[in-house]
Amino acid sequence: MAKSPEQEHPVKTYGWAARDTSGHLSPFNFSRRATGEEDVRFKILYCGICHSDLHSIKNEWGISIYPMVPGHEIVGEVTELGSKVKKVKVGDKVGVGCMVGACHNCESCENDLENYCPKVILTYNATYYDGTMTHGGYSDSMVANERYVVRIPDGMPLDTAAPLLCAGITVYSPLKYFGLGEPGKHIGIVGLGGLGHVAVKFAKALGCKVTVISTSPSKKAEALEHLGADSFLVSRDQEELQAAMGTFDGIIDTVSAVHPIMPLLGLLKSHGKLIMVGAPNKPLELPAFSLIVGRKTMAGSGIGGMKETQEMIDFAAKHNIEADIEVISVDYVNKAVERLEKGDVRYRFVIDIGNTLAATKP
């Protein structure tokens, strides 16, 4: 007979979980494995709320398994190490992002691209090597193989660093891989949300000229004055679109709702690249002719490998790149999910696990 989540492993753990497709989160007792020889155990201090969490707790992608403890923007302090761990020491600040395992034998894994391994194990809502479910960061502690642990540089604020473990790497990786994050390149960022606002910061730090492309004229002042974008384009304004046709080297599209692609392809120069990092839950319409004329590329990108994730965090620390966050207590999490669904957050909720989780224990 299958063991309950509380009895599967030796280390008692407490968090908040969704039980069904309502997505409602509530207190949940479960367990984590003992610290293996290559494992790092840490006390969770903060965890970001990603749009993926919202899709997952409500089973909008059709792959959810309950009960589910979400959260894959996790930071905290190391409390215990396995005997073979070399990367960190007790007391270090560390993070875990979207994945906690992979096959380590395939071409992707050998090239430090564990995120593209066919057997990648996600931080929550996945089956671990031992057959048990993985649970995420809306909880008091975490244990992970050291390969999947990111060192947080000294002096980097933990609360604003947490969202970079998903949102940050999601935009940093395509900027680097597709050759867009280079001085003088003109880069468009579509959507000014959790992903978009950090994309602006990384692109600027990499030396790009950055234009925010949004349906909301109300975000113009925020984009230019607060986030440091060079210009702002209202995607519903035909005159503005027309004037900017053929002027972008690349566009990072962060929007997770269905939206027209053709106008964005029109903004690209010949050989320009449109990179999708948002994940709409319905197919987008792709006009082939818009790609053919100008030999344009449309591609996707999903997070990044562990080596690149560490590189991204170190780059962010060096350039003082932080996510703009609203810190919340654990008992506010259901309200935060409602607000996130309406886009009512600037720009990422981060749960103060360290100071507020214990008080919610029944």
Side-chain angles (χ1 to χ4, degrees):
M1 195 172 121
K3 290 183 177 177
S4 71
E6 213 172 343
Q7 295 168 324
E8 276 178 337
H9 298 293
V11 181
K12 297 269 179 279
T13 311
Y14 171 69
W16 277 45
R19 272 33 177 233
D20 54 45
T21 56
S22 71
H24 182 80
L25 293 146
S26 58
F28 178 62
N29 289 302
F30 64 109
S31 54
R32 295 203 188 272
R33 68 180 184 271
T35 309
E37 59 185 17
E38 294 179 2
D39 284 343
V40 175
R41 184 175 300 280
F42 63 96
K43 177 189 177 190
I44 297 175
L45 298 175
Y46 295 98
C47 185
I49 300 182
C50 175
H51 223 280
S52 306
D53 298 347
L54 192 150
H55 292 303
S56 299
I57 60 176
K58 292 177 182 275
N59 196 26
E60 289 175 0
W61 290 332
I63 54 170
S64 297
I65 300 164
Y66 301 98
M68 176 200 303
V69 179
H72 60 203
E73 300 178 342
I74 313 165
V75 294
E77 185 175 317
V78 177
T79 56
E80 191 180 16
L81 298 175
S83 58
K84 292 187 176 175
V85 173
K86 295 187 175 68
K87 192 156 89 173
V88 294
K89 58 187 188 300
V90 170
D92 282 357
K93 304 300 189 289
V94 295
V96 165
C98 303
M99 56 188 170
V100 291
C103 81
H104 306 153
N105 296 314
C106 70
E107 190 177 353
S108 290
C109 286
E110 285 170 2
N111 287 310
D112 297 308
L113 293 168
E114 302 91 344
N115 50 316
Y116 297 124
C117 172
K119 295 180 180 174
V120 67
I121 300 172
L122 301 179
T123 302
Y124 67 88
N125 195 46
T127 305
Y128 201 63
Y129 303 114
D130 61 9
T132 63
M133 290 302 297
T134 59
H135 289 299
Y138 298 14
S139 59
D140 55 15
S141 70
M142 185 76 190
V143 62
N145 182 286
E146 73 168 327
R147 180 169 179 155
Y148 296 92
V149 171
V150 176
R151 295 181 308 279
I152 307 292
D154 291 342
M156 190 176 200
L158 295 184
D159 52 358
T160 55
L164 300 181
L165 294 167
C166 172
I169 187 60
T170 295
V171 297
Y172 179 84
S173 185
L175 283 168
K176 298 289 283 189
Y177 178 78
F178 292 101
L180 303 178
E182 294 173 359
K185 290 271 174 87
H186 184 195
I187 303 303
I189 307 295
V190 187
L192 199 57
L195 291 173
H197 89 283
V198 288
V200 173
K201 295 182 183 194
F202 275 109
K204 284 298 295 177
L206 288 162
C208 304
K209 177 188 172 189
V210 179
T211 298
V212 170
I213 302 166
S214 174
T215 55
S216 315
S218 59
K219 290 186 176 176
K220 183 172 183 176
E222 174 80 2
L224 301 179
E225 294 160 25
H226 174 62
L227 296 172
D230 298 287
S231 53
F232 187 88
L233 187 59
V234 179
S235 55
R236 290 189 174 131
D237 186 320
Q238 290 309 311
E239 281 183 25
E240 284 192 22
L241 279 179
Q242 205 57 43
M245 294 278 273
T247 62
F248 289 79
D249 295 289
I251 295 174
I252 305 286
D253 187 342
T254 72
V255 176
S256 55
V258 174
H259 57 290
I261 293 300
M262 197 159 133
L264 300 176
L265 292 170
L267 292 171
L268 293 171
K269 296 175 182 175
S270 291
H271 329 295
K273 297 165 185 172
L274 170 62
I275 314 302
M276 312 300 291
V277 295
N281 56 8
K282 291 193 178 74
L284 299 169
E285 201 170 292
L286 175 60
F289 206 67
S290 303
L291 291 176
I292 293 165
V293 176
R295 191 163 62 178
K296 296 169 185 178
T297 301
M298 182 173 168
S301 183
I303 54 169
M306 294 315 302
K307 183 180 175 186
E308 190 175 45
T309 302
Q310 186 66 60
E311 178 191 305
M312 175 276 306
I313 280 284
D314 293 343
F315 181 89
K318 183 180 174 186
H319 294 272
N320 296 315
I321 294 171
E322 301 177 355
D324 289 14
I325 62 169
E326 180 177 331
V327 178
I328 63 165
S329 59
V330 176
D331 57 11
Y332 188 77
V333 71
N334 289 303
K335 181 72 180 163
V337 167
E338 274 177 41
R339 284 179 52 195
L340 178 59
E341 212 159 9
K342 296 178 193 147
D344 175 24
V345 58
R346 287 185 38 208
Y347 285 95
R348 204 60 148 199
F349 287 115
V350 173
I351 309 169
D352 183 351
I353 299 283
N355 291 313
T356 70
L357 179 66
T360 67
K361 274 191 176 179

